Amino acid sequence: MCGIVGYTGSSSAVPVLLSGLKRLEYRGYDSAGIAVNTGGSLQMVKASGHLEHLMERLKSTPLSGTSGIGHTRWATHGAPTDINAHPHMSNDGQFAVVHNGIIENYAQLREELTENGFQFSSETDTEVIVHLLEYYDQGDPKVAVMKAASRLEGSYALGVVCARFPDTLYTARLSSPLILGVGIGESFFASDVTALVRHTKNVIYMEDGEFACITPRGIEVFDSTGAPIRKTVSRVAWDVEAAEKGGYDHFMLKEIMEQPRALKLTIEPRIRDGRIVLDEFESFRAQLPNIRKVVITACGSAYHAGCVGRYVIEQLCRIPVEAELASELRYRNPIIDSSTLLIVVSQSGETADTIAALKECKARGATVLAVVNVVGSTIAKLADYVLYTWAGPEIAVATTKGYTTQVAVLDLFAVWAAEALGTISAQSCADYVKQLLSLPERAQRAIDLNPGIPALARQYKAADAMFFIGRNIDYAICLEGSLKLKEISYIHSEAYAAGELKHGTIALIDEGRLVVALACQEALFDKMMSNVREVKARGAQVLAAALEGNRRILSQADDVLYIPDTDPLFLAIPEIIPLQLFAYYMARENGCDIDKPKNLAKSVTVE
Ligand code: M6R
């Protein structure tokens, strides 16, 4: 959602801020702005719409200075207008602020500040912060920031500039990501590492309740009493190239193609001498027999990964497994106690509903294992244990390598836990480990086997609605295939358990309707063929997915996507890849903004 960035050093601030904001575009936004300290006074330029509008405006109103703050806004309080865009400035012109998050008590604060004579110009919740800064300003901006923050309820990552201190930036964090960049003679802050790696790979992850003063000479972090905190400087593990398109037209296509490598990085280091070793979770091995139930919770595609995980874990470990949307679980008064293992799945580690469900279940005594991609994210911090997906930065809003690496970690967990619980034999365990090691290669094969997908997209591009049907894990994959298609191509699509067709949906099947039938579970192949015949009999066109070498499918389907032969439990990884490509090329044929689909944000940090 929103993105923030700050710079102080000896270079001109505007290009650094703009390049940072450019890298945060993928999070989703609808207006942008920057404020620069021009040596004793603050000036800002803001514009609704794309960053290009802001850049145009900066040509006619150039800002010069070596420190400043920037923001990309995804509107929550007030329309995406120039006035509502951040930064916001105090009435006396001393402070400007950028903010990610939501101030829940902004209405009371606004009333109070208005009574005290402050003039509001925007409809945003954020504007209360900058007036609080002026209200509490008695000379030291650090104190004003701490006092203002103590009045805020909700979530925030704040970046503040003060006119009187031209080379200093101030930041504060509560439940919204904030990372500081340590350079040589320059310092940075951002909501996301991707905005920093071009300048420095040395970063400090801010924790909730922490504040920082940032100058070109260094960074001081302190707690809510003002006491200094010694922070570790971490090294970002990936290069700037990882956050660039590298010759592909879209990040999404690059990320689809990166899957074999991302899977290798996620799986291989966790297999040693033919056994799965989950370093970060090994200390829990002895407690596994006490677990009576596994609950997997997440949102969107991460939830779909959880749906796959449910089949695999239950099948191998013989423990009841529930997969539930975090937005539902958090309000359900669930039966969860210390015998529950809660697996929380999230690429960003910042999804608001997922965080809330995690907190709710933790409070009831569950042990929390997080499967997360972004190092140092909120979910990673809140969980008892973390298994990282080593997918690297995922920029496209539509997740691809994020999803497959989540599935890979859940698969690893399932085999590891089954071995620990003794629910599979040593021989089966060795066979599963071999299968897991082969998944990166099978992912590549899934790409190589289907060069005809762009042509299929040309053929089907005019479809206005379609259905994805499948059974068992194929059904879980339908959920993700359907979401991928609708979120980037805007074509209406629905995923159905094939056995449910006759209970209602078949009424919607008519002449020419496209049905994507996933028929890769050999044990259920004949059942799927019955469903395919039923929809064909009503005039549907069928695009099927079947295992490589399956010739029986040819007599039933109009077109076929081939999936490399894989153990049925681990099919999700190779099987989703052609569906990701199909969604990509359908969106491309329809001229959609693939990496930044309308109305969507990469990281959904508000409910
Ligand atoms: O960062 P998370 O994995 O927690 O995000 C969850 C969903 O918002 C995310 O998977 C969303 O559904 C994607 N746009 C799907 O491509």
Side-chain angles (χ1 to χ4, degrees), residues 12 15 24 74 85 91 98 120 135 162 196 202 210 213 239 253 260 299 310 489 527 563 572 597:
S12 173
L24 296 176
W74 195 87
N91 292 164
V98 288
F120 280 77
Y135 181 74
C162 176
L196 301 178
N202 296 326
E210 290 180 350
C213 291
D239 290 317
L253 187 56
C299 298
R310 174 169 58 124
S489 73
K527 299 266 174 226
I563 313 300

Side-chain angles (χ1 to χ4, degrees), residues 299-302 345-351 354 379 397-399 406 480 483-484 487 600-604:
C299 298
S301 296
V345 186
S346 176
Q347 189 284 129
S348 64
E350 302 295 346
T351 302
T354 312
I379 290 175
V397 166
T399 183
Q406 286 163 352
E480 177 59 7
L483 176 64
K484 219 65 330 173
E487 71 180 330
L600 295 181
K602 179 69 181 162
S603 174
V604 184

